[in-house]
Amino acid sequence: MEYDVRSLSRRFIAASSASDGAYYRWAKRSNVTLNTLDLLYALDDGLPHSQKQICEEWLIPKTTINTAVKSCRDAGYITLEPMPGHPKQRQLCLTEAGRAYARDALADLHAAEDRAMAETVARFGPEFVDAVELFCASFRALLNSTSPQKEENNPV
């Protein structure tokens, strides 16, 4: 089977960007900042997370998470608790109000994600997710192992 890798890469990245854009537009319509959406989404799994873990797992800059944490803490949606085994880190915990806010804020988003995933998995099987995860892990590793080449004529 022949295929044009460059063309497939462009299609995949365009689809990924469109997906990111859909999250952005949804957040804007829902009066939730994208940073708050990312934080709530990360915390909504019910597991303990530190700011550091969220930054690393979701590739979100520290300053971005700090801003979202401060906003959510001021709104009474999260608390920062000592993290067992990590004295310098704080565990982010959704409060009861935070769980309710996340549940309400994310309900429509999760419903749309679940429907889109069900349609995709019905056509391509659950291996679809494995393939996307493999691509992302490989892409990330390749970018981390190389340094950008700067041309002398183009220092940007």
Side-chain angles (χ1 to χ4, degrees):
M1 172 165 81
E2 282 199 35
Y3 50 87
D4 177 4
V5 172
R6 171 83 317 253
S7 176
L8 291 173
S9 293
R10 288 185 60 80
R11 285 176 54 202
F12 182 80
I13 298 307
S16 176
S17 292
S19 178
D20 289 345
Y23 281 99
Y24 172 79
R25 285 189 302 280
W26 179 88
K28 193 170 183 174
R29 277 195 326 267
S30 300
N31 293 318
V32 177
T33 69
L34 193 55
N35 299 339
T36 299
L37 172 63
D38 289 342
L39 179 61
L40 291 175
Y41 204 105
L43 294 175
D44 190 47
D45 64 1
L47 300 174
H49 298 278
S50 69
Q51 285 181 236
K52 181 180 177 183
Q53 288 170 324
I54 292 172
C55 290
E56 290 171 359
E57 290 171 17
W58 293 79
L59 296 178
I60 302 170
K62 269 191 218 182
T63 55
T64 300
I65 286 297
N66 287 338
T67 301
V69 165
K70 182 177 178 351
S71 174
C72 286
R73 189 179 61 208
D74 291 349
Y77 296 147
I78 64 170
T79 59
L80 286 93
E81 308 291 333
M83 188 160 209
H86 301 279
K88 291 186 177 185
Q89 293 185 31
R90 297 283 179 238
Q91 178 176 304
L92 306 176
C93 301
L94 287 172
T95 63
E96 203 54 48
R99 279 190 290 280
Y101 179 69
R103 185 177 47 252
D104 292 344
L106 300 175
D108 291 341
L109 182 65
H110 287 321
E113 288 171 333
D114 292 351
R115 184 170 176 191
M117 184 57 69
E119 290 172 5
T120 305
V121 169
R123 181 168 176 193
F124 297 103
E127 296 80 13
F128 160 77
V129 176
D130 296 333
V132 172
E133 288 176 339
L134 176 63
F135 172 86
C136 292
S138 178
F139 184 59
R140 185 191 239 179
L142 288 165
L143 288 182
N144 287 338
S145 69
T146 61
S147 61
Q149 300 294 321
K150 292 187 179 179
E151 297 180 30
E152 287 184 27
N153 295 339
N154 185 8
V156 178

